[in-house]
Every structure is written in C-alpha cells, then in structure tokens.
C-alpha cells in the first residue's frame, strides 16, 4: 500500500475518532471552575489563548455597531472586543497546564486545559463518546433568561480548521448575547421598484435594523460545548449574570 495513502487513512481515522470522543473538561467546562480552555491557532500556543480567554471572561467590553438586513439575513458589523491589558500581563506566566488533546493531527492543533489557581487543580482524564449521550436541549435555543442569567448559544460549521470553528462558535455565542441586550438604535425600511423580464413592475422592501454596541461583560462563563457530528456544526453555550452586564446608553 502507498505509504502516503496509509498515513492519510490513519490520520483520517484518528481525526474522526476525536470528533466523537472528547474530554469531559472540554464538553462541560462549567464543572471546572478556576480553569480555562485554550486553543493553539495562528502561531499562538494554547496557553497563550487560554490567558487571553481568562481575561476575556473576567472583564471585556464590546463596542461598535451592528446592522442586520432581515430579508437576506445579511449583517454588517464594525465592533471590537477589549479587555484590560494588565490582566494578561498578570496571568500569562501563572497558568498551569492540566490536560491537552490534539484536535487536528494534520495541522498539529491542540486544545489545552489550564488552571488559574495552583491550589485548585481538577484533572479529569475521562473521555465521553458523543454518540452515547442525548442531544442537549439547549442546542435548539438561541437566547433566553433564567434565574437572573442571560443564556446564549453560538453555532458555526465544523468544516475546516477545528480550533477556529470552536472559537468562532464561542464568539458568536457572546456576540448574540450582547446584541440581544444592547441598545436598539432603530430600523429603516428601504423600498425598491424593479422590472422583471416580462416588463412587470415588482415592488419590494428591505428592513435594516441597527444596534449600538458598548457593553461590558464580567465573570462570563462557557457552560457547555457540543459537536453536532451529523450536521457538521459546533455549538457553544454561554451565560452572564444580569448584574454583570453594563450597557452604556
């Protein structure tokens, strides 16, 4: 057998296995307080990303604007996330590696679990077979409020680089939460008149909805992650207590 073909088959089999079997700490991060998950990507190590995400969860401000074109589900966004730089300086050299998995053998991508506190390290090495568990009910939701917490779900295609896909799903979860509670600027209806190939006049309209973003999140939490293998989608569930959301009017 061609050695390149053999390598491809082995790598493909292992990557397929990783999709179905994931660490408990990755799927249920809510059960690992004082721990943070980091992804190696773009030349940065998983520890570097974990340090950034620790500061992000602790305190972050999202500012900018967001416009949605309803009819075509189009979006125009001009926003940024900003966390205190001193936080990164204080934490980047104190995180302790706890566990790690290879998320993509071909690209040598890793996902790591790190502890923020040396006195509270939880190292659960158990792996979970996704096929043996029921599909979480929260995957069918988008945004809701429960017990003074705002819950939000982000989703992104799992086709492509796995670490980027998980990161994007998480960012979408937080962005969805912020836009669900942010200041609504207003909407504008744009009427259009066109002529079809038969000379008939067709009138249509498009509603543009705008949001002004200047929201601070504190003590954010990633509660669960879930891969929808059948539909090639990654889901991430996050939450923030209502007292930890400050909106600048």
């Amino acid at each position: 057998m061609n050695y390149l073909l053999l390598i491809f088959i082995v790598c493909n089999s292992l990557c397929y296995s990783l999709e179905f079997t994931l660490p408990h700490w990755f799927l249920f991060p809510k059960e690992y307080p004082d721990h943070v998950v980091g992804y190696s990507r773009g030349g940065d190590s998983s520890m570097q990303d974990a340090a950034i995400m620790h500061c992000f969860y602790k305190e972050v401000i999202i500012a900018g604007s967001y416009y949605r074109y309803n009819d075509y589900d189009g979006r125009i966004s001009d926003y940024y996330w900003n966390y205190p730089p001193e936080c990164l300086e204080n934490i980047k050299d104190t995180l302790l590696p706890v566990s790690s998995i290879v998320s993509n053998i071909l690209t040598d991508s890793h996902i790591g679990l790190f502890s923020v506190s040396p006195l509270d390290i939880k190292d659960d090495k158990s792996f979970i077979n996704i096929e043996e568990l029921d599909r979480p009910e929260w995957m069918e939701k988008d945004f809701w409020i429960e017990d003074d917490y705002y819950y939000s779900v982000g989703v992104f295609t799992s086709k492509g680089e796995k670490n980027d896909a998980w990161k994007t799903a998480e960012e979408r979860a937080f962005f969805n939460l912020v836009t669900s509670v942010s200041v609504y600027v207003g909407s504008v209806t744009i009427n259009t008149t066109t002529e079809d190939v038969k000379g008939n006049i067709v009138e249509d309209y498009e509603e543009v909805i705008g949001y002004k973003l200047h929201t601070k999140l504190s003590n954010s939490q990633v509660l669960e992650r879930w891969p929808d293998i059948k539909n090639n989608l990654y889901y991430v569930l996050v939450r923030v207590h209502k007292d930890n959301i400050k909106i600048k009017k």
Side-chain angles (χ1 to χ4, degrees):
M1 179 182 291
N2 185 292
Y3 283 108
L4 291 178
L5 177 61
L6 178 60
I7 292 173
F8 174 80
I9 292 174
V10 172
C11 290
N12 188 60
S13 176
L14 289 173
C15 290
Y16 182 80
S17 176
L18 285 170
E19 287 283 1
F20 281 89
T21 308
L22 288 166
H24 185 273
W25 53 260
F26 181 75
L27 294 175
F28 304 103
K30 64 182 178 183
E31 299 183 25
Y32 297 80
D34 294 323
H35 291 68
V36 61
V37 169
Y39 303 81
S40 65
R41 57 200 296 265
D44 292 336
S45 68
S46 57
M47 179 175 284
Q48 289 172 306
D49 183 62
I52 292 173
M53 295 316 299
H54 166 76
C55 296
F56 180 101
Y57 302 141
K58 190 174 182 180
E59 180 182 306
V60 67
I61 294 176
I62 178 172
S65 57
Y66 171 65
Y67 299 93
R68 187 174 75 240
Y69 295 77
N70 279 350
D71 287 353
Y72 301 100
D73 198 30
R75 294 171 171 82
I76 296 178
S77 303
D78 182 17
Y79 66 91
Y80 62 89
W81 303 92
N82 186 27
Y83 54 85
E86 60 271 16
C87 173
L88 190 59
E89 289 298 319
N90 294 333
I91 195 64
K92 67 179 183 179
D93 295 325
T94 60
L95 287 177
L96 299 175
V98 177
S99 189
S100 178
I101 62 170
V102 178
S103 55
N104 191 322
I105 296 174
L106 298 177
T107 59
D108 193 28
S109 299
H110 293 74
I111 302 175
L113 176 68
F114 299 86
S115 174
V116 177
S117 171
L119 302 178
D120 187 21
I121 296 178
K122 185 176 181 180
D123 188 5
D124 187 340
K125 297 184 181 299
S126 61
F127 278 69
I128 296 177
N129 189 331
I130 303 299
E131 293 184 301
E132 295 177 356
L133 296 182
D134 294 331
R135 179 184 176 91
E137 294 183 359
W138 58 262
M139 289 173 59
E140 310 301 328
K141 302 179 182 180
D142 179 60
F143 172 82
W144 72 97
I145 304 172
E146 183 178 333
D147 297 329
D148 292 332
Y149 279 92
Y150 293 108
Y151 292 80
S152 179
V153 176
V155 59
F156 193 70
T157 177
S158 62
K159 296 180 179 178
E161 170 54 41
K162 306 304 180 184
N163 284 10
D164 288 340
W166 280 117
K167 291 284 292 184
T168 303
E170 181 175 329
E171 180 180 344
R172 286 191 170 189
F174 281 111
F175 187 77
N176 179 57
L177 189 152
V178 168
T179 54
S180 296
V181 301
S182 61
V183 177
Y184 170 67
V185 176
S187 63
V188 176
T189 300
I190 302 174
N191 296 304
T192 59
T193 302
T194 58
E195 183 177 339
D196 63 18
V197 293
K198 295 182 179 181
N200 299 318
I201 301 300
V202 179
E203 294 186 353
D204 197 3
Y205 72 94
E206 172 69 27
E207 185 178 23
V208 182
I209 299 177
Y211 295 87
K212 178 183 178 182
L213 305 176
H214 197 289
T215 305
K216 182 170 75 172
L217 306 179
S218 303
N219 300 318
S220 305
Q221 294 176 285
V222 177
L223 299 181
E224 293 185 27
R225 301 181 180 91
W226 201 264
D228 183 344
I229 308 299
K230 180 180 179 180
N231 298 305
N232 297 310
L233 295 171
Y234 285 162
Y235 288 80
V236 178
L237 171 65
V238 304
R239 78 173 184 180
V240 181
H241 193 276
K242 68 175 185 179
D243 293 338
N244 290 328
I245 298 179
K246 306 299 181 185
I247 302 173
K248 183 178 180 181
K249 303 295 185 178

